[in-house]
Amino acid sequence: MSRIEFMQGNIACAEGALAAGCSFFGGYPITPSTEIAEHMAKMLPKKGGTFIQMEDELASVSSIIGASWAGARSMTATSGPGFSLMMENIGYAVMTETPLVIVDIQRGGPSTGQPTMAAQGDMMQCRFGSHGDYGTIALVPSTVQEMFDLTVKAFNLADRFRCPVFVMSDEIIGHMREKITIPEEVEIKPRKMLKEGMLPFEPEADMIPGFPVFGKGHRVHVTGLTHDERGYPQTTNCELHSELVQRLVNKVESKRHEIADYDVINPDAEVVFITYGPPGRAVRQLMHDHPDMEIGHLNIRIVWPFPEESLKKFPNASKFIVPELNMGQIAREIQRHTNVEVESIPKLGGEMHTPEELFASMGGDS
């Protein structure tokens, strides 16, 4: 039977990972994500898994890459400064098509910034932070329940697409406590294994190769260099490099509409709020406080790949209002995909938008 608990967001994330079958966590404690590591350190050994505290975030992401190649569902958790340190090996995981989950509990930056305050300033970093071109998947919870549910989903997506998947939360959701329903079991979609007679990086019809787990009899060379389907370096082959990188992008981008996850409320509205993460909570409160107003709301749970088709769910929209805990990172992405007026409502400093601030953005008198 499912159980109902009153739980912190970071703990819900860890519980989601455990439910999804995560058996390896390699991490380094950093505010405001540390509770995830603490809970995994406590619970993983009880479930036959492995927790290891690495010397830094570079080593943390290296360890989960190795664990994934050994067959484990693996995860790390960090915040902005640690996320920056991980970027080189995130690119390595992309090039080697290594499935893993990286949780970023965002805080105010740049640099050390505000360790105990919330932000959403890493949204472009998770998309473009490592060098080169690649496709990526990023999930953004706005409730403690979604911290659990989207962490489970992240593992399934990582294994399906053989790529790093990001859970881009923040200090508010990470440290918030809410009622949560934990199911007795969750759907686990295992990674596709390498088929007999196929090469380690030979894509199938879905553009994704089967996974050759170390220790299962496969001979596989793993390198961050441009490589052929055997995994052997081919760094000066221009055509091969182009084909490889385009496949790394298209295996995700071609499924963007299938990956998309969002809620549409009041699709006939003219004024529509577009949110991901905590600002969606303020919009829901605004709608509760003003039931007489026709307010539209698009709440996005998977920001990358960006679900541009979701914007068409509001055919009467005259304005999209985008509150973000940054300087307008996703507002610019929305502008790329619509002719509707886009108004960015940025907020820095660590506090959420208030319903009154959002009401004022609509031209209302608070």
mmCIF file of all heavy atoms in Angstrom, residues 266 269-274 282-297 318-323 341 343-345 353-366:
data_model
loop_
_atom_site.group_PDB
_atom_site.id
_atom_site.type_symbol
_atom_site.label_atom_id
_atom_site.label_comp_id
_atom_site.label_asym_id
_atom_site.label_seq_id
_atom_site.Cartn_x
_atom_site.Cartn_y
_atom_site.Cartn_z
ATOM 1 N N ASN A 266 -6.999 26.844 -17.848
ATOM 2 C CA ASN A 266 -7.728 27.940 -18.515
ATOM 3 C C ASN A 266 -7.130 28.257 -19.881
ATOM 4 O O ASN A 266 -6.618 29.363 -20.121
ATOM 5 C CB ASN A 266 -7.757 29.201 -17.646
ATOM 6 C CG ASN A 266 -8.574 29.011 -16.383
ATOM 7 O OD1 ASN A 266 -9.454 28.158 -16.326
ATOM 8 N ND2 ASN A 266 -8.290 29.806 -15.367
ATOM 9 N N ALA A 269 -7.805 31.669 -21.825
ATOM 10 C CA ALA A 269 -7.428 32.958 -21.238
ATOM 11 C C ALA A 269 -6.574 33.781 -22.202
ATOM 12 O O ALA A 269 -5.855 33.238 -23.051
ATOM 13 C CB ALA A 269 -6.672 32.731 -19.938
ATOM 14 N N GLU A 270 -6.646 35.098 -22.004
ATOM 15 C CA GLU A 270 -5.827 36.014 -22.801
ATOM 16 C C GLU A 270 -4.495 36.316 -22.110
ATOM 17 O O GLU A 270 -3.472 36.485 -22.770
ATOM 18 C CB GLU A 270 -6.587 37.319 -23.055
ATOM 19 C CG GLU A 270 -7.818 37.139 -23.938
ATOM 20 C CD GLU A 270 -8.475 38.468 -24.255
ATOM 21 O OE1 GLU A 270 -7.877 39.524 -23.965
ATOM 22 O OE2 GLU A 270 -9.599 38.447 -24.802
ATOM 23 N N VAL A 271 -4.520 36.398 -20.781
ATOM 24 C CA VAL A 271 -3.296 36.618 -20.008
ATOM 25 C C VAL A 271 -2.883 35.294 -19.385
ATOM 26 O O VAL A 271 -3.664 34.684 -18.634
ATOM 27 C CB VAL A 271 -3.497 37.686 -18.912
ATOM 28 C CG1 VAL A 271 -2.227 37.844 -18.079
ATOM 29 C CG2 VAL A 271 -3.887 39.017 -19.538
ATOM 30 N N VAL A 272 -1.679 34.841 -19.706
ATOM 31 C CA VAL A 272 -1.241 33.500 -19.323
ATOM 32 C C VAL A 272 0.105 33.589 -18.604
ATOM 33 O O VAL A 272 1.049 34.198 -19.113
ATOM 34 C CB VAL A 272 -1.102 32.596 -20.563
ATOM 35 C CG1 VAL A 272 -0.604 31.205 -20.153
ATOM 36 C CG2 VAL A 272 -2.419 32.502 -21.322
ATOM 37 N N PHE A 273 0.186 32.979 -17.424
ATOM 38 C CA PHE A 273 1.448 32.845 -16.709
ATOM 39 C C PHE A 273 2.122 31.542 -17.144
ATOM 40 O O PHE A 273 1.462 30.496 -17.226
ATOM 41 C CB PHE A 273 1.234 32.835 -15.192
ATOM 42 C CG PHE A 273 0.908 34.179 -14.614
ATOM 43 C CD1 PHE A 273 -0.410 34.585 -14.466
ATOM 44 C CD2 PHE A 273 1.915 35.044 -14.228
ATOM 45 C CE1 PHE A 273 -0.720 35.819 -13.930
ATOM 46 C CE2 PHE A 273 1.621 36.292 -13.691
ATOM 47 C CZ PHE A 273 0.302 36.685 -13.547
ATOM 48 N N ILE A 274 3.413 31.624 -17.405
ATOM 49 C CA ILE A 274 4.206 30.442 -17.723
ATOM 50 C C ILE A 274 5.259 30.277 -16.638
ATOM 51 O O ILE A 274 6.048 31.188 -16.388
ATOM 52 C CB ILE A 274 4.872 30.557 -19.102
ATOM 53 C CG1 ILE A 274 3.803 30.748 -20.196
ATOM 54 C CG2 ILE A 274 5.710 29.318 -19.385
ATOM 55 C CD1 ILE A 274 4.378 30.899 -21.593
ATOM 56 N N ALA A 282 2.980 30.552 -6.587
ATOM 57 C CA ALA A 282 2.414 31.891 -6.440
ATOM 58 C C ALA A 282 1.280 32.109 -7.443
ATOM 59 O O ALA A 282 0.274 32.762 -7.128
ATOM 60 C CB ALA A 282 3.500 32.942 -6.633
ATOM 61 N N VAL A 283 1.440 31.575 -8.644
ATOM 62 C CA VAL A 283 0.374 31.703 -9.642
ATOM 63 C C VAL A 283 -0.875 30.956 -9.186
ATOM 64 O O VAL A 283 -2.003 31.465 -9.307
ATOM 65 C CB VAL A 283 0.844 31.186 -11.013
ATOM 66 C CG1 VAL A 283 -0.326 31.155 -12.000
ATOM 67 C CG2 VAL A 283 1.976 32.043 -11.556
ATOM 68 N N ARG A 284 -0.694 29.775 -8.641
ATOM 69 C CA ARG A 284 -1.859 29.014 -8.169
ATOM 70 C C ARG A 284 -2.574 29.747 -7.037
ATOM 71 O O ARG A 284 -3.804 29.727 -6.944
ATOM 72 C CB ARG A 284 -1.419 27.607 -7.731
ATOM 73 C CG ARG A 284 -1.016 26.708 -8.893
ATOM 74 C CD ARG A 284 -0.840 25.268 -8.488
ATOM 75 N NE ARG A 284 0.382 25.027 -7.758
ATOM 76 C CZ ARG A 284 1.547 24.714 -8.318
ATOM 77 N NH1 ARG A 284 1.650 24.651 -9.631
ATOM 78 N NH2 ARG A 284 2.618 24.466 -7.586
ATOM 79 N N GLN A 285 -1.799 30.407 -6.171
ATOM 80 C CA GLN A 285 -2.422 31.183 -5.096
ATOM 81 C C GLN A 285 -3.156 32.399 -5.666
ATOM 82 O O GLN A 285 -4.257 32.748 -5.215
ATOM 83 C CB GLN A 285 -1.364 31.646 -4.096
ATOM 84 C CG GLN A 285 -1.926 32.373 -2.878
ATOM 85 C CD GLN A 285 -2.836 31.482 -2.046
ATOM 86 O OE1 GLN A 285 -2.477 30.352 -1.717
ATOM 87 N NE2 GLN A 285 -4.025 31.976 -1.699
ATOM 88 N N LEU A 286 -2.562 33.042 -6.667
ATOM 89 C CA LEU A 286 -3.213 34.172 -7.324
ATOM 90 C C LEU A 286 -4.546 33.753 -7.928
ATOM 91 O O LEU A 286 -5.561 34.464 -7.789
ATOM 92 C CB LEU A 286 -2.287 34.723 -8.418
ATOM 93 C CG LEU A 286 -2.870 35.812 -9.319
ATOM 94 C CD1 LEU A 286 -3.126 37.095 -8.515
ATOM 95 C CD2 LEU A 286 -1.938 36.090 -10.501
ATOM 96 N N MET A 287 -4.568 32.615 -8.573
ATOM 97 C CA MET A 287 -5.806 32.130 -9.187
ATOM 98 C C MET A 287 -6.846 31.793 -8.122
ATOM 99 O O MET A 287 -8.047 32.005 -8.310
ATOM 100 C CB MET A 287 -5.504 30.920 -10.066
ATOM 101 C CG MET A 287 -4.578 31.247 -11.232
ATOM 102 S SD MET A 287 -4.035 29.791 -12.162
ATOM 103 C CE MET A 287 -5.540 29.388 -13.043
ATOM 104 N N HIS A 288 -6.384 31.286 -6.985
ATOM 105 C CA HIS A 288 -7.290 30.997 -5.872
ATOM 106 C C HIS A 288 -7.872 32.286 -5.299
ATOM 107 O O HIS A 288 -9.060 32.354 -4.951
ATOM 108 C CB HIS A 288 -6.537 30.222 -4.795
ATOM 109 C CG HIS A 288 -7.361 29.927 -3.573
ATOM 110 N ND1 HIS A 288 -7.428 30.798 -2.488
ATOM 111 C CD2 HIS A 288 -8.159 28.866 -3.259
ATOM 112 C CE1 HIS A 288 -8.220 30.281 -1.573
ATOM 113 N NE2 HIS A 288 -8.676 29.109 -2.010
ATOM 114 N N ASP A 289 -7.033 33.328 -5.199
ATOM 115 C CA ASP A 289 -7.470 34.592 -4.609
ATOM 116 C C ASP A 289 -8.397 35.389 -5.528
ATOM 117 O O ASP A 289 -9.157 36.236 -5.056
ATOM 118 C CB ASP A 289 -6.252 35.460 -4.258
ATOM 119 C CG ASP A 289 -5.397 34.846 -3.154
ATOM 120 O OD1 ASP A 289 -5.898 33.960 -2.441
ATOM 121 O OD2 ASP A 289 -4.222 35.267 -3.025
ATOM 122 N N HIS A 290 -8.304 35.129 -6.832
ATOM 123 C CA HIS A 290 -9.096 35.886 -7.803
ATOM 124 C C HIS A 290 -9.841 34.919 -8.737
ATOM 125 O O HIS A 290 -9.564 34.863 -9.936
ATOM 126 C CB HIS A 290 -8.199 36.821 -8.605
ATOM 127 C CG HIS A 290 -7.502 37.854 -7.782
ATOM 128 N ND1 HIS A 290 -8.099 39.048 -7.410
ATOM 129 C CD2 HIS A 290 -6.268 37.862 -7.223
ATOM 130 C CE1 HIS A 290 -7.251 39.747 -6.677
ATOM 131 N NE2 HIS A 290 -6.141 39.053 -6.539
ATOM 132 N N PRO A 291 -10.783 34.164 -8.185
ATOM 133 C CA PRO A 291 -11.487 33.169 -9.009
ATOM 134 C C PRO A 291 -12.327 33.792 -10.115
ATOM 135 O O PRO A 291 -12.709 33.101 -11.069
ATOM 136 C CB PRO A 291 -12.356 32.432 -7.989
ATOM 137 C CG PRO A 291 -12.555 33.418 -6.883
ATOM 138 C CD PRO A 291 -11.281 34.201 -6.805
ATOM 139 N N ASP A 292 -12.635 35.092 -9.984
ATOM 140 C CA ASP A 292 -13.448 35.775 -10.984
ATOM 141 C C ASP A 292 -12.650 36.175 -12.216
ATOM 142 O O ASP A 292 -13.224 36.541 -13.250
ATOM 143 C CB ASP A 292 -14.068 37.042 -10.369
ATOM 144 C CG ASP A 292 -13.004 37.968 -9.766
ATOM 145 O OD1 ASP A 292 -12.075 37.438 -9.130
ATOM 146 O OD2 ASP A 292 -13.125 39.191 -9.928
ATOM 147 N N MET A 293 -11.322 36.104 -12.128
ATOM 148 C CA MET A 293 -10.477 36.519 -13.248
ATOM 149 C C MET A 293 -10.103 35.312 -14.106
ATOM 150 O O MET A 293 -9.850 34.222 -13.581
ATOM 151 C CB MET A 293 -9.206 37.199 -12.730
ATOM 152 C CG MET A 293 -9.453 38.474 -11.948
ATOM 153 S SD MET A 293 -7.914 39.252 -11.405
ATOM 154 C CE MET A 293 -7.198 39.718 -12.987
ATOM 155 N N GLU A 294 -10.097 35.517 -15.396
ATOM 156 C CA GLU A 294 -9.712 34.454 -16.322
ATOM 157 C C GLU A 294 -8.192 34.495 -16.495
ATOM 158 O O GLU A 294 -7.655 35.225 -17.338
ATOM 159 C CB GLU A 294 -10.408 34.636 -17.673
ATOM 160 C CG GLU A 294 -10.225 33.467 -18.633
ATOM 161 C CD GLU A 294 -10.988 32.216 -18.215
ATOM 162 O OE1 GLU A 294 -11.850 32.312 -17.318
ATOM 163 O OE2 GLU A 294 -10.717 31.142 -18.768
ATOM 164 N N ILE A 295 -7.511 33.739 -15.666
ATOM 165 C CA ILE A 295 -6.049 33.701 -15.687
ATOM 166 C C ILE A 295 -5.609 32.350 -16.227
ATOM 167 O O ILE A 295 -6.007 31.300 -15.725
ATOM 168 C CB ILE A 295 -5.473 33.906 -14.276
ATOM 169 C CG1 ILE A 295 -5.943 35.243 -13.685
ATOM 170 C CG2 ILE A 295 -3.946 33.831 -14.302
ATOM 171 C CD1 ILE A 295 -5.578 35.427 -12.225
ATOM 172 N N GLY A 296 -4.794 32.373 -17.259
ATOM 173 C CA GLY A 296 -4.243 31.130 -17.785
ATOM 174 C C GLY A 296 -2.936 30.768 -17.095
ATOM 175 O O GLY A 296 -2.218 31.642 -16.605
ATOM 176 N N HIS A 297 -2.653 29.473 -17.066
ATOM 177 C CA HIS A 297 -1.414 29.023 -16.420
ATOM 178 C C HIS A 297 -0.860 27.819 -17.154
ATOM 179 O O HIS A 297 -1.536 26.806 -17.321
ATOM 180 C CB HIS A 297 -1.671 28.659 -14.953
ATOM 181 C CG HIS A 297 -0.425 28.325 -14.193
ATOM 182 N ND1 HIS A 297 -0.423 27.608 -13.011
ATOM 183 C CD2 HIS A 297 0.882 28.617 -14.446
ATOM 184 C CE1 HIS A 297 0.818 27.477 -12.592
ATOM 185 N NE2 HIS A 297 1.624 28.071 -13.433
ATOM 186 N N SER A 318 -2.859 36.905 -25.418
ATOM 187 C CA SER A 318 -2.324 38.185 -25.883
ATOM 188 C C SER A 318 -1.036 38.537 -25.143
ATOM 189 O O SER A 318 -0.295 39.422 -25.578
ATOM 190 C CB SER A 318 -3.350 39.300 -25.676
ATOM 191 O OG SER A 318 -3.680 39.440 -24.298
ATOM 192 N N LYS A 319 -0.801 37.868 -24.013
ATOM 193 C CA LYS A 319 0.425 38.118 -23.249
ATOM 194 C C LYS A 319 0.796 36.876 -22.448
ATOM 195 O O LYS A 319 -0.049 36.258 -21.803
ATOM 196 C CB LYS A 319 0.254 39.295 -22.289
ATOM 197 C CG LYS A 319 1.502 39.574 -21.442
ATOM 198 C CD LYS A 319 1.266 40.624 -20.364
ATOM 199 C CE LYS A 319 1.210 41.995 -20.961
ATOM 200 N NZ LYS A 319 1.191 43.028 -19.872
ATOM 201 N N PHE A 320 2.076 36.515 -22.524
ATOM 202 C CA PHE A 320 2.645 35.487 -21.655
ATOM 203 C C PHE A 320 3.481 36.200 -20.588
ATOM 204 O O PHE A 320 4.392 36.961 -20.916
ATOM 205 C CB PHE A 320 3.540 34.518 -22.436
ATOM 206 C CG PHE A 320 2.797 33.597 -23.363
ATOM 207 C CD1 PHE A 320 3.301 33.316 -24.632
ATOM 208 C CD2 PHE A 320 1.615 32.992 -22.980
ATOM 209 C CE1 PHE A 320 2.638 32.457 -25.487
ATOM 210 C CE2 PHE A 320 0.937 32.126 -23.827
ATOM 211 C CZ PHE A 320 1.453 31.866 -25.094
ATOM 212 N N ILE A 321 3.176 35.951 -19.322
ATOM 213 C CA ILE A 321 3.938 36.524 -18.216
ATOM 214 C C ILE A 321 4.777 35.412 -17.603
ATOM 215 O O ILE A 321 4.241 34.358 -17.236
ATOM 216 C CB ILE A 321 3.015 37.156 -17.159
ATOM 217 C CG1 ILE A 321 2.127 38.230 -17.804
ATOM 218 C CG2 ILE A 321 3.824 37.759 -16.022
ATOM 219 C CD1 ILE A 321 1.105 38.835 -16.850
ATOM 220 N N VAL A 322 6.077 35.654 -17.495
ATOM 221 C CA VAL A 322 6.999 34.589 -17.089
ATOM 222 C C VAL A 322 7.763 35.002 -15.835
ATOM 223 O O VAL A 322 8.796 35.685 -15.911
ATOM 224 C CB VAL A 322 7.988 34.256 -18.228
ATOM 225 C CG1 VAL A 322 8.783 32.993 -17.867
ATOM 226 C CG2 VAL A 322 7.271 34.078 -19.554
ATOM 227 N N PRO A 323 7.283 34.616 -14.642
ATOM 228 C CA PRO A 323 8.044 34.874 -13.415
ATOM 229 C C PRO A 323 9.119 33.808 -13.210
ATOM 230 O O PRO A 323 8.839 32.610 -13.278
ATOM 231 C CB PRO A 323 6.966 34.796 -12.319
ATOM 232 C CG PRO A 323 5.909 33.904 -12.890
ATOM 233 C CD PRO A 323 5.969 34.024 -14.381
ATOM 234 N N GLU A 341 3.183 38.521 -27.104
ATOM 235 C CA GLU A 341 4.018 39.348 -26.235
ATOM 236 C C GLU A 341 4.456 38.554 -25.006
ATOM 237 O O GLU A 341 3.635 37.885 -24.365
ATOM 238 C CB GLU A 341 3.245 40.592 -25.787
ATOM 239 C CG GLU A 341 4.024 41.480 -24.817
ATOM 240 C CD GLU A 341 3.190 42.590 -24.221
ATOM 241 O OE1 GLU A 341 2.020 42.747 -24.634
ATOM 242 O OE2 GLU A 341 3.691 43.289 -23.309
ATOM 243 N N GLU A 343 6.277 38.919 -21.331
ATOM 244 C CA GLU A 343 6.737 39.823 -20.282
ATOM 245 C C GLU A 343 7.494 39.020 -19.230
ATOM 246 O O GLU A 343 6.930 38.128 -18.583
ATOM 247 C CB GLU A 343 5.570 40.555 -19.629
ATOM 248 C CG GLU A 343 6.010 41.516 -18.521
ATOM 249 C CD GLU A 343 4.851 42.250 -17.876
ATOM 250 O OE1 GLU A 343 3.723 42.160 -18.389
ATOM 251 O OE2 GLU A 343 5.080 42.923 -16.844
ATOM 252 N N SER A 344 8.756 39.320 -19.069
ATOM 253 C CA SER A 344 9.580 38.651 -18.074
ATOM 254 C C SER A 344 9.424 39.338 -16.722
ATOM 255 O O SER A 344 9.483 40.569 -16.631
ATOM 256 C CB SER A 344 11.042 38.663 -18.504
ATOM 257 O OG SER A 344 11.876 38.110 -17.503
ATOM 258 N N ILE A 345 9.217 38.541 -15.667
ATOM 259 C CA ILE A 345 9.142 39.049 -14.295
ATOM 260 C C ILE A 345 10.287 38.404 -13.506
ATOM 261 O O ILE A 345 10.113 37.388 -12.828
ATOM 262 C CB ILE A 345 7.785 38.739 -13.627
ATOM 263 C CG1 ILE A 345 6.629 39.157 -14.522
ATOM 264 C CG2 ILE A 345 7.704 39.433 -12.270
ATOM 265 C CD1 ILE A 345 6.511 40.657 -14.726
ATOM 266 N N HIS A 353 8.276 35.073 -5.788
ATOM 267 C CA HIS A 353 7.297 36.088 -6.159
ATOM 268 C C HIS A 353 6.074 35.940 -5.257
ATOM 269 O O HIS A 353 5.698 34.831 -4.872
ATOM 270 C CB HIS A 353 6.831 35.899 -7.602
ATOM 271 C CG HIS A 353 7.930 36.013 -8.618
ATOM 272 N ND1 HIS A 353 8.829 34.991 -8.865
ATOM 273 C CD2 HIS A 353 8.263 37.025 -9.460
ATOM 274 C CE1 HIS A 353 9.664 35.366 -9.812
ATOM 275 N NE2 HIS A 353 9.352 36.595 -10.197
ATOM 276 N N THR A 354 5.458 37.043 -4.924
ATOM 277 C CA THR A 354 4.212 36.991 -4.157
ATOM 278 C C THR A 354 3.033 37.077 -5.113
ATOM 279 O O THR A 354 3.160 37.613 -6.233
ATOM 280 C CB THR A 354 4.128 38.159 -3.159
ATOM 281 O OG1 THR A 354 4.032 39.396 -3.903
ATOM 282 C CG2 THR A 354 5.355 38.184 -2.248
ATOM 283 N N PRO A 355 1.866 36.568 -4.714
ATOM 284 C CA PRO A 355 0.677 36.719 -5.564
ATOM 285 C C PRO A 355 0.375 38.184 -5.867
ATOM 286 O O PRO A 355 -0.089 38.513 -6.961
ATOM 287 C CB PRO A 355 -0.426 36.070 -4.724
ATOM 288 C CG PRO A 355 0.289 35.081 -3.859
ATOM 289 C CD PRO A 355 1.599 35.719 -3.541
ATOM 290 N N GLU A 356 0.660 39.072 -4.900
ATOM 291 C CA GLU A 356 0.413 40.496 -5.113
ATOM 292 C C GLU A 356 1.305 41.052 -6.224
ATOM 293 O O GLU A 356 0.862 41.871 -7.046
ATOM 294 C CB GLU A 356 0.646 41.273 -3.812
ATOM 295 C CG GLU A 356 -0.367 40.976 -2.714
ATOM 296 C CD GLU A 356 -0.128 39.643 -2.029
ATOM 297 O OE1 GLU A 356 0.994 39.093 -2.164
ATOM 298 O OE2 GLU A 356 -1.065 39.134 -1.376
ATOM 299 N N GLU A 357 2.555 40.626 -6.257
ATOM 300 C CA GLU A 357 3.452 41.072 -7.321
ATOM 301 C C GLU A 357 2.968 40.574 -8.687
ATOM 302 O O GLU A 357 3.028 41.311 -9.687
ATOM 303 C CB GLU A 357 4.873 40.558 -7.053
ATOM 304 C CG GLU A 357 5.562 41.248 -5.889
ATOM 305 C CD GLU A 357 6.868 40.573 -5.508
ATOM 306 O OE1 GLU A 357 7.062 39.378 -5.839
ATOM 307 O OE2 GLU A 357 7.697 41.244 -4.862
ATOM 308 N N LEU A 358 2.503 39.358 -8.737
ATOM 309 C CA LEU A 358 2.003 38.827 -10.002
ATOM 310 C C LEU A 358 0.721 39.531 -10.423
ATOM 311 O O LEU A 358 0.508 39.781 -11.610
ATOM 312 C CB LEU A 358 1.774 37.324 -9.871
ATOM 313 C CG LEU A 358 3.007 36.486 -9.547
ATOM 314 C CD1 LEU A 358 2.665 35.006 -9.530
ATOM 315 C CD2 LEU A 358 4.137 36.754 -10.535
ATOM 316 N N PHE A 359 -0.138 39.842 -9.455
ATOM 317 C CA PHE A 359 -1.368 40.574 -9.764
ATOM 318 C C PHE A 359 -1.033 41.938 -10.347
ATOM 319 O O PHE A 359 -1.650 42.384 -11.324
ATOM 320 C CB PHE A 359 -2.203 40.719 -8.494
ATOM 321 C CG PHE A 359 -3.542 41.366 -8.710
ATOM 322 C CD1 PHE A 359 -4.523 40.732 -9.474
ATOM 323 C CD2 PHE A 359 -3.848 42.602 -8.147
ATOM 324 C CE1 PHE A 359 -5.765 41.317 -9.675
ATOM 325 C CE2 PHE A 359 -5.081 43.202 -8.348
ATOM 326 C CZ PHE A 359 -6.044 42.559 -9.103
ATOM 327 N N ALA A 360 -0.039 42.596 -9.783
ATOM 328 C CA ALA A 360 0.374 43.897 -10.283
ATOM 329 C C ALA A 360 0.926 43.798 -11.700
ATOM 330 O O ALA A 360 0.744 44.711 -12.522
ATOM 331 C CB ALA A 360 1.418 44.510 -9.350
ATOM 332 N N SER A 361 1.570 42.678 -12.021
ATOM 333 C CA SER A 361 2.110 42.504 -13.368
ATOM 334 C C SER A 361 1.022 42.399 -14.418
ATOM 335 O O SER A 361 1.270 42.629 -15.608
ATOM 336 C CB SER A 361 3.010 41.250 -13.429
ATOM 337 O OG SER A 361 2.227 40.061 -13.403
ATOM 338 N N MET A 362 -0.200 42.063 -13.967
ATOM 339 C CA MET A 362 -1.340 41.990 -14.873
ATOM 340 C C MET A 362 -2.002 43.352 -15.048
ATOM 341 O O MET A 362 -2.985 43.464 -15.784
ATOM 342 C CB MET A 362 -2.369 40.995 -14.332
ATOM 343 C CG MET A 362 -1.873 39.574 -14.177
ATOM 344 S SD MET A 362 -3.126 38.523 -13.419
ATOM 345 C CE MET A 362 -4.438 38.593 -14.650
ATOM 346 N N GLY A 363 -1.494 44.351 -14.339
ATOM 347 C CA GLY A 363 -2.114 45.668 -14.394
ATOM 348 C C GLY A 363 -3.159 45.865 -13.330
ATOM 349 O O GLY A 363 -3.909 46.849 -13.340
ATOM 350 N N GLY A 364 -3.175 44.913 -12.345
ATOM 351 C CA GLY A 364 -4.152 45.001 -11.266
ATOM 352 C C GLY A 364 -3.720 45.959 -10.192
ATOM 353 O O GLY A 364 -2.541 46.330 -10.083
ATOM 354 N N ASP A 365 -4.675 46.391 -9.375
ATOM 355 C CA ASP A 365 -4.416 47.302 -8.248
ATOM 356 C C ASP A 365 -4.389 46.481 -6.993
ATOM 357 O O ASP A 365 -5.435 46.018 -6.514
ATOM 358 C CB ASP A 365 -5.480 48.381 -8.190
ATOM 359 C CG ASP A 365 -5.207 49.406 -7.093
ATOM 360 O OD1 ASP A 365 -4.158 49.301 -6.467
ATOM 361 O OD2 ASP A 365 -6.054 50.302 -6.903
ATOM 362 N N SER A 366 -3.186 46.254 -6.435
ATOM 363 C CA SER A 366 -3.069 45.447 -5.229
ATOM 364 C C SER A 366 -3.534 46.203 -3.998
ATOM 365 O O SER A 366 -3.674 45.628 -2.935
ATOM 366 C CB SER A 366 -1.616 44.995 -5.023
ATOM 367 O OG SER A 366 -0.751 46.097 -4.926
#
